[in-house]
């Protein structure tokens, strides 16, 4: 599916946040800040679409969506709209990676990342595995982590599986 068609799909989807829709403008020329993958995530008999929306300047993941092909067209079955987030298809599973920041972390050095694997069960995605990687403050220069070492909640929103209408 072309980038323009994917962008039209996102813009017409009422479950996509207004904030994400603001980022759906060309980054120069005719290229939109979307990565699109297709593969079998839901067993629908047709490839599902995985769409990652990013910022133009630094390609930070703004949101990730999965659309399932049905007779009526593509239907939203998953969304994660808490940046920074990026999703991938791995051997039929949906893998969502979120970088986590503490107070004072520069964008280039998050304190940690969370990798969540979802599998399709029945008619929805359910979490099957969660892993967290905490990064060293000394590798790669001054990280500048939070003074108290506590997360400030930035990027801690949960991904939200959505159910097809019916």
């Amino acid at each position: 599916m072309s980038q323009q068609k994917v962008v039209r799909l996102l813009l017409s989807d009422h479950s996509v946040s207004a904030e994400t829709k603001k980022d759906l403008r060309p980054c120069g020329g005719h290229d939109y800040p979307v990565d699109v993958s297709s593969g079998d995530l839901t067993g629908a008999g047709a490839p599902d679409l995985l769409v990652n929306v990013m910022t133009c300047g630094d390609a930070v993941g703004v949101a990730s969506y999965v659309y399932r092909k049905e007779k009526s067209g593509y239907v939203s079955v998953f969304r994660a709209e808490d940046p920074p987030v990026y999703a991938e298809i791995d051997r039929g599973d949906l893998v969502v990676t979120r970088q986590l920041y503490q107070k004072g972390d520069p964008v280039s050095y998050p304190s940690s990342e969370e990798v969540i694997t979802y599998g399709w069960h029945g008619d929805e995605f359910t979490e099957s595995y969660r892993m967290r990687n905490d990064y060293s403050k000394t590798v790669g220069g001054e990280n500048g982590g939070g003074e108290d070492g506590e997360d400030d909640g930035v990027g801690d929103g949960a991904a939200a599986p959505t159910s097809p209408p019916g």
Side-chain angles (χ1 to χ4, degrees):
M1 181 179 276
S2 73
Q3 280 190 336
Q4 289 82 6
K5 286 183 181 178
V6 168
V7 169
R8 283 195 299 270
L9 174 66
L10 291 167
L11 290 172
S12 67
D13 183 347
H14 299 294
S15 71
V16 173
S17 72
E19 191 67 28
T20 298
K21 288 180 180 181
K22 281 193 252 179
D23 288 318
L24 292 172
R25 287 176 267 126
C27 291
H30 301 290
D31 290 330
Y32 287 86
V34 294
D35 283 348
V36 182
S37 303
S38 62
D40 184 10
L41 286 167
T42 67
D48 301 299
L49 291 180
L50 170 60
V51 181
N52 286 292
V53 179
M54 298 164 295
T55 60
C56 286
D58 50 13
V60 171
V62 173
S64 300
Y65 304 92
V66 175
Y67 290 91
R68 182 179 179 166
K69 179 75 171 155
E70 295 188 357
K71 291 178 185 175
S72 62
Y74 283 98
V75 176
S76 175
V77 292
F78 181 89
R79 73 179 176 279
E81 294 183 315
D82 293 313
V85 63
Y86 197 85
E88 300 172 288
I89 299 171
D90 183 12
R91 293 171 285 201
D93 287 329
L94 174 63
V95 180
V96 178
T97 302
R98 293 178 36 246
Q99 292 180 330
L100 305 174
Y101 294 85
Q102 293 179 344
K103 290 179 185 173
D105 284 351
V107 172
S108 56
Y109 292 105
S111 293
S112 59
E113 77 175 1
E114 192 168 53
V115 181
I116 306 166
T117 303
Y118 296 91
W120 185 258
H121 300 284
D123 61 351
E124 66 183 0
F125 283 102
T126 58
E127 183 179 322
S128 58
Y129 187 75
R130 181 179 294 249
M131 177 183 72
R132 182 175 174 132
N133 295 311
D134 291 315
Y135 299 131
S136 172
K137 302 279 189 223
T138 59
V139 176
E142 295 287 324
N143 187 340
E147 294 175 19
D148 58 5
E150 295 294 319
D151 278 342
D152 65 357
V154 174
D156 284 346
T162 56
S163 298

